[in-house]
Structure formats: structure tokens, C-alpha cells
Amino acid sequence: MTRFNSTRLLATTTLMLLHHGLAMAQMPAQQPDAKSFKLGTLDIVALHDAQFVKPNDGKTFGLDHSPAEVGELLKAAGAPTDTITLSVDALLVKSKTSVVLIDTGVGGALQDSLAKAGIKPADVSEILITHSHPDHIGGLVKDDKLAFPNATIRMSDVEWDFAKSNKDAADIIKVIADHVKPFKAGAEVAPGITSVALKGHTLGHVGYQIKSGKERLFDIGDTVHSSIISLAKPDWAVAFDGDKPEGEQNRAKTLATLAKDHEMIFAPHFPFPGIGQIEKDGDHFKWTPSDKPK
């Protein structure tokens, strides 16, 4: 990573955390990675962009609970009790006629991860955005220009209005504005890909249901963040959610449905590659990673 990009990534990361009123997170060196598998006739690739390590200080997870309570959940899962690690990843969906990228991270290792998958930025035909937080749209811009020059950028109309009103995202919005094509939540946005409203995180937050033949994969965006805390206590408030009660309600409802249907999902903040299933575990849920991605 060049010095310019490292500086830009740090600035974007700081902006993201300030936007949520959080203390600065540690950011380990970003390592590119790409894991692929088949979904029917589609080629799916999970792409690593960045990783953040946040302190367990009561400012991110379990806002209405103590760090000690959060620490007990982390300890039970065999994780460090003083920090919470979140991955930042994107998803590529390739068919015979299109190359679709879902989210772009902060613009960390994403370009190098795409290269590992044999994809050039100019190859990407469409970019689907789950929501407009900087850790999902930061990679749209590189050196003050479009990072993916041939791509149409899609997000829900409600989210696009929200993004344009967000002063923290103004520099990004200025570059991408002429290339954004909004849609109504629930619309089919690309062949085999349908948007799904997932309320509470941002005003127009959506996920993407990907289907090919009888196989399905659901990119659930930021419905969940921690593969430990979000599943053990989905009703605990998360600092990232704009409407916390609605976010909690959506999280619990979505997790219950996923556990019942045994649907494969992509969760961009779960440990890379973030592909797996949600399972019921007593009165809460647990994460089972898939062995499909290689």
C-alpha cells in the first residue's frame, strides 16, 4: 500500500469513528485476500479490505450494559475480553455478462484483493451499496477519482438522499454523484440479485438476496457486526445503528428467520471470509462458517 493510500485509509477510518462518536480503533496492517466459490452458475468471491480492533469500553457494543458483561460474552467464545475485532469485507458476484461488486470497504486492501481474484477495477460493471457509511463506500474513490471507472453505482433512493445530506461523506459524494442510479428497496437491481430493506442501521440500509438456480446467498450488510456479541445478544444496542430500537428489532427478526431457513449469508464484518450460516443456540444464536470459500 502506498503512503498516500495508507494516509487516506487512516483518515477515512478516523472519519468513520468520529461519525459514530467512537474512540479511535487500532488498525492492523491490511492484508489482501480473496476466497471464491460457486453459487449455481455464478462465481462468488469474498474480498478482504480492512480490519479494525476496537476497545471493549462500552462505547460500541452493549451500550446499555457494562464492559464486564460484554467481556463475559467474549470470554465464553474464547476471544480477548478487552478488544473487539471486526473485519471489513466486500463481495463480488460474477456471471457471464456482468461483474458486480457489493460494497467497497474503506479502500484498504480491496484493490489488491480484487487483483488476487483476477479482476481489474475497469472490469466491474455495477457496484451495489448496502448503505453509505464510510467503511462501505470509502473504496469508491481513489486519488479523488472513481476507483471503478466503468461501474454504475446503485443504492436505495432513501439511502442516497441520506448520503447526500451527510457532510462526513461529502468528498466521496461529489466524485460519485453522476454515476449513482438509485432504486426502490425490494427491486431487482441486477440479474439474480434483489434488494431487501433491513431497517435500523441507516435510513435506507438494504441487504442483497443473490439467487442462481436453487442456490441462495444473502448479503445482510450491517444487520450484524460482531460474530460473537451480535448473535449472543441481538437485543443489545450498537453504537453504529442510527435507530437503535429499530436496529435491535430488525437484527432479532432477521437472525430468527435465517436460523429457521438455514440460508447461507455473507456478513461483511464477521471474520473473513464472512460466509456461513446462523444457527439457533438456546435462547440466542451462533455463527457456523462455511467451508465453501477456498
Side-chain angles (χ1 to χ4, degrees), residues 117-189:
I119 301 295
K120 299 176 182 178
D123 295 337
V124 178
S125 53
E126 288 201 78
I127 298 173
L128 308 179
I129 299 298
T130 59
H131 64 293
S132 59
H133 281 164
D135 58 325
H136 292 259
I137 65 171
L140 286 171
V141 176
K142 183 179 181 182
D143 300 337
D144 299 321
K145 297 179 181 179
L146 291 169
F148 303 93
N150 299 323
T152 300
I153 301 165
R154 311 292 312 275
M155 69 179 78
S156 76
D157 52 357
V158 175
E159 189 66 18
W160 179 232
D161 287 342
F162 169 68
K164 289 185 291 184
S165 69
N166 181 6
K167 293 180 180 179
D168 291 337
D171 289 345
I172 295 173
I173 299 306
K174 181 180 178 180
V175 176
I176 70 172
D178 292 340
H179 301 268
V180 175
K181 184 180 178 182
F183 56 80
K184 295 285 185 183
E188 183 178 39
V189 293

Side-chain angles (χ1 to χ4, degrees), residues 50-64:
Q51 182 171 290
F52 300 115
V53 181
K54 303 180 184 299
N56 174 22
D57 57 5
K59 296 180 180 180
T60 307
F61 291 95
L63 300 183
D64 42 0

Side-chain angles (χ1 to χ4, degrees), residues 76-88:
T81 60
D82 58 342
T83 58
I84 301 161
T85 298
L86 301 178
S87 194
V88 178

Side-chain angles (χ1 to χ4, degrees), residues 231-260:
L231 303 190
K233 299 292 182 180
D235 58 336
W236 283 14
V238 179
F240 303 128
D241 288 341
D243 186 326
K244 292 172 179 57
E246 191 166 45
E248 294 160 25
Q249 182 179 9
N250 173 65
R251 187 160 44 250
K253 179 181 176 181
T254 302
L255 290 173
T257 299
L258 292 171
K260 180 180 178 181

